[in-house]
Amino acid sequence: MTLKVLFLLVALGAVVGAIGMLSSPNPVHSALFLVWTLFCVAAVYLLLGAEFLAIVQIIVYAGAIMVLFLFIIMLLNLRRDEFGDDPLPRQWGWGLILSGLLAVILISVAGAALTLRFAGDPLALTPIPELARMLFTKYLLAVEIASLILLIAMVGVVVLAKRPKEGV
Amino acid sequence: MEAGIPLNWVLALSAVLFSLGALGVLIKRNIIVMFMSIELMLNAANIALVAFSKAHNNLDGQVIVFFTMTLAAAEVAIGLAIIVALFRLRRTVDADKATLLRW
């Protein structure tokens, strides 16, 4: 019972953070709201017993990715008139209609999963050694490809962010 | 009556977060905030993956979430570099002012 209440609180926090991200005109505030939402998602992982992913979520998402976002926002140092955020009323209407429709569809799918129950003890923690074994046996090729992608991304970022040479 | 969280609650949270992310991509014009909305949608998908992984007592879902996070890190780095390059070129982060595919 307390688990359910806790989950509802965390879910409410995540949704409020997401709405705050969308409604704040300043991108820095948006980024901070998103950090809050990501923390709530980490809490959801914890409640589901995926403690390793919760830690990785906080380190990688809330730590690295959002700091990168804040870095870029501060690097660009936008003036208020450069935010580019004055959504057209029509855009708001259609956006709300379409995403509301999407929400209805997705939630009805979620409702259809009513018969599915968590197998075993829902609070049982994920066996991390088992996770590691899977990563380096069944998913070894995927790990190698992911490392290659990270390398390519690193090189690509350096190339993209480099100032173009004069006269080229 | 079991003690755990019902699976469809978790899926509903995932659905709501995904829709909010989609709403952000639709209504925002600041490219950086649109990009954050994409991150939100990735997270919503991750929640669903973890929930199903727990429901089936199968670790594959969590491994996939792990890879999603890796790819999200690479994606953010590349995307923000593109935004910086765009800003150097056009002095704006407004998606409506970056409609030309040339300079």
Side-chain angles (χ1 to χ4, degrees):
Chain A
M1 199 61 214
T2 40
L3 213 57
K4 283 183 181 172
V5 174
L6 217 56
F7 175 78
L8 283 182
L9 279 178
V10 168
L12 191 70
V15 171
V16 166
I19 292 172
M21 180 190 89
L22 296 183
S23 56
S24 69
N26 188 330
V28 175
H29 296 169
S30 291
L32 293 176
F33 271 120
L34 187 56
V35 170
W36 164 249
T37 301
L38 294 179
F39 268 113
C40 289
V41 172
V44 170
Y45 290 165
L46 268 185
L47 285 175
L48 291 177
E51 83 285 11
F52 178 66
L53 283 179
I55 304 290
V56 172
Q57 168 91 3
I58 289 175
I59 293 175
V60 174
Y61 259 112
I65 292 183
M66 291 321 292
V67 166
L68 203 58
F69 266 108
L70 288 173
F71 257 171
I72 295 299
I73 293 169
M74 288 167 188
L75 181 76
L76 299 186
N77 194 18
L78 299 174
R79 291 193 316 274
R80 191 155 278 280
D81 55 318
E82 288 175 332
F83 286 168
D85 240 349
D86 176 29
L88 312 167
R90 205 180 46 178
Q91 214 173 346
W92 264 100
W94 279 109
L96 278 175
I97 291 169
L98 287 176
S99 60
L101 209 62
L102 184 65
V104 168
I105 294 170
L106 288 176
I107 290 175
S108 53
V109 172
L114 197 61
T115 51
L116 212 53
R117 287 283 167 193
F118 285 114
D121 183 8
L123 265 188
L125 294 181
T126 307
I128 296 177
E130 188 56 38
L131 205 65
R133 206 169 294 122
M134 280 180 83
L135 265 180
F136 288 101
T137 52
K138 191 176 174 188
Y139 290 98
L140 183 61
L141 184 64
V143 169
E144 294 299 329
I145 293 173
S147 68
L148 210 61
I149 286 174
L150 284 176
L151 176 69
I152 294 169
M154 206 169 69
V155 176
V157 165
V158 172
V159 171
L160 277 172
K162 201 173 60 178
R163 245 171 237 288
K165 275 187 201 142
E166 295 298 318
V168 172
Chain B
M1 195 67 208
E2 57 222 284
I5 304 153
L7 176 64
N8 49 342
W9 289 15
V10 186
L11 293 182
L13 170 67
S14 162
V16 169
L17 285 184
F18 191 92
S19 308
L20 282 172
L23 179 68
V25 174
L26 287 174
I27 64 174
K28 284 292 193 178
R29 288 195 299 169
N30 185 331
I31 296 180
I32 299 175
V33 182
M34 287 166 81
F35 205 36
M36 287 182 207
S37 304
I38 295 174
E39 292 304 309
L40 188 61
M41 287 197 277
L42 277 172
N43 264 279
N46 282 352
I47 292 176
L49 276 171
V50 172
F52 279 122
S53 153
K54 276 288 161 182
H56 293 286
N57 214 357
N58 183 347
L59 281 180
D60 290 274
Q62 298 195 31
V63 175
I64 293 174
V65 171
F66 196 69
F67 286 123
T68 315
M69 284 180 182
T70 316
L71 290 191
E75 175 225 343
V76 165
I78 294 273
L80 288 176
I82 291 174
I83 290 174
V84 169
L86 178 80
F87 187 76
R88 283 217 187 104
L89 219 55
R90 297 217 180 279
R91 314 300 303 170
T92 181
V93 288
D94 187 341
D96 284 359
K97 291 191 184 123
T99 51
L100 289 179
L101 282 177
R102 62 176 185 85
W103 70 87

